[in-house]
């Protein structure tokens, strides 16, 4: 089977995808493909708090992902197409918010906010790649699917799991009113809102289609033993 995979902004996924789809041919030409799969983003949905948003959740007309998905669909009219909307993808050489979070933890400029229960959509790169391979092999799979780790961890738990991979780096907590005020000042309104707003996503359609059983991202980070075959 020839598979065309489009990964705008998430090229770090390619080693994972090549490993998961090793039984097939990955092509960079959509016209040669039996199936075309795009790694899109849950950032396409309306901004602000979202709790288990489904594929039918309204999209943000200002999102750049609207254009990305339209361009992809237009270029793949002659084959089966699948769009996989991913939240924060965790893995080696990760990009976007997860990378920014990891870098701020490493620098010691990320702080927990006492009482912050915000949950974030997350998924490990290995699960994204496995889902891509499974969707390609499922003849009835078509259209849009959300993917997540099924856990939607709190930002606190995700940060602690990332810190664990950094030799269990300590993250300080802002507890007093003065500290919280300072934290808002340091982060600014946009970053503070991102750290304290829940955005989670329902992947039940994907689970029904390919019998998807993800590994919780925080569990993977805390328990996976890396060796020469790991990514």
């Amino acid at each position: 089977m020839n598979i065309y995979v489009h990964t705008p902004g998430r090229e770090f996924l390619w080693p994972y995808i090549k490993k998961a789809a090793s039984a097939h041919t990955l092509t960079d030409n959509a016209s040669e493909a039996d199936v075309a799969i795009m790694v899109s983003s849950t950032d396409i949905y309306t901004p602000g708090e979202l709790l288990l948003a489904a594929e039918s959740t309204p999209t943000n007309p200002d999102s750049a992902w609207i254009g990305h998905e339209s361009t992809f669909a237009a270029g793949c009219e002659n084959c089966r197409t699948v769009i996989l909307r991913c939240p924060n993808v965790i893995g080696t050489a990760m990009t976007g918010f997860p990378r920014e979070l990891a870098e701020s933890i490493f620098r010691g400029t990320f702080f927990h906010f006492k009482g912050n229960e915000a949950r974030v959509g997350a998924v490990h790169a290995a699960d994204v790649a496995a889902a891509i391979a499974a969707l390609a092999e499922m003849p009835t799979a078509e259209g849009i699917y959300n993917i997540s780790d099924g856990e939607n961890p709190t930002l606190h738990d995700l940060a602690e799991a990332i810190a664990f991979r950094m030799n269990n780096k300590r993250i300080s907590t802002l507890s007093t009113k003065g500290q919280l005020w300072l934290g808002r000042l340091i982060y600014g309104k946009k970053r503070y809102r991102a750290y304290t707003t829940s955005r989670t996503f329902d992947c039940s359609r994907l689970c029904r289609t390919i019998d998807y059983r993800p590994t919780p991202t925080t569990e993977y980070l805390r328990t996976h033993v890396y060796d020469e075959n790991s990514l």
Side-chain angles (χ1 to χ4, degrees):
M1 178 186 294
N2 290 339
I3 306 171
Y4 170 70
V5 183
H6 184 44
T7 58
R10 285 182 168 136
E11 284 70 24
F12 75 93
L13 283 170
W14 271 103
Y16 295 92
I17 295 169
K18 289 177 181 177
K19 184 176 181 179
S22 59
H24 305 288
T25 300
L26 294 172
T27 176
D28 58 4
N29 189 343
S31 64
E32 299 175 350
D34 299 301
V35 57
I37 300 177
M38 176 183 175
V39 178
S40 185
S41 173
T42 53
D43 286 347
I44 197 171
Y45 295 121
T46 48
E49 184 172 81
L50 289 174
L51 300 177
L52 293 179
E55 292 84 355
S56 59
T57 296
T59 55
N60 177 8
D62 296 326
S63 173
W65 291 99
I66 295 285
H68 290 322
E69 290 189 2
S70 297
T71 300
F72 166 76
C76 303
E77 294 179 340
N78 298 321
C79 66
R80 178 165 58 93
T81 59
V82 177
I83 293 175
L84 190 61
R85 289 177 176 168
C86 303
N88 300 297
V89 181
I90 309 299
T92 302
M94 58 192 178
T95 57
F97 177 81
R99 185 178 185 87
E100 292 174 9
L101 178 61
E103 289 177 346
S104 62
I105 292 170
F106 181 77
R107 292 193 304 265
T109 57
F110 174 80
F111 307 97
H112 289 314
F113 289 83
K114 185 178 180 180
N116 181 22
E117 295 298 323
R119 290 186 170 271
V120 293
V123 65
H124 196 274
D127 277 339
V128 175
I132 288 171
L135 286 165
E137 294 164 3
M138 181 64 67
T140 57
E142 193 165 12
I144 298 170
Y145 297 86
N146 287 343
I147 187 172
S148 81
D149 71 350
E151 182 183 64
N152 295 306
T154 64
L155 179 65
H156 177 100
D157 288 343
L158 180 60
E160 286 291 345
I162 292 173
F164 176 81
R165 304 290 341 172
M166 300 176 182
N167 295 319
N168 211 17
K169 190 172 181 66
R170 182 177 178 274
I171 300 175
S172 299
T173 299
L174 303 180
S175 301
T176 67
K177 288 184 178 180
Q179 288 175 336
L180 291 170
W181 177 84
L182 182 61
R184 293 188 186 95
L185 186 65
I186 292 173
Y187 288 135
K189 289 183 179 179
K190 184 177 180 180
R191 181 65 59 82
Y192 177 79
R193 191 180 303 117
Y195 285 164
T196 57
T197 301
S198 290
R199 284 181 67 84
T200 63
F201 305 93
D202 177 18
C203 63
S204 60
R205 181 170 188 251
L206 181 66
C207 293
R208 293 192 301 270
T209 301
I210 61 169
D211 193 26
Y212 175 65
R213 295 295 181 269
T215 302
T217 307
T218 54
E219 178 184 324
Y220 189 103
L221 288 170
R222 289 185 175 277
T223 63
H224 182 71
V225 178
Y226 287 84
D227 56 28
E228 65 273 10
N229 296 316
S230 295
L231 293 170

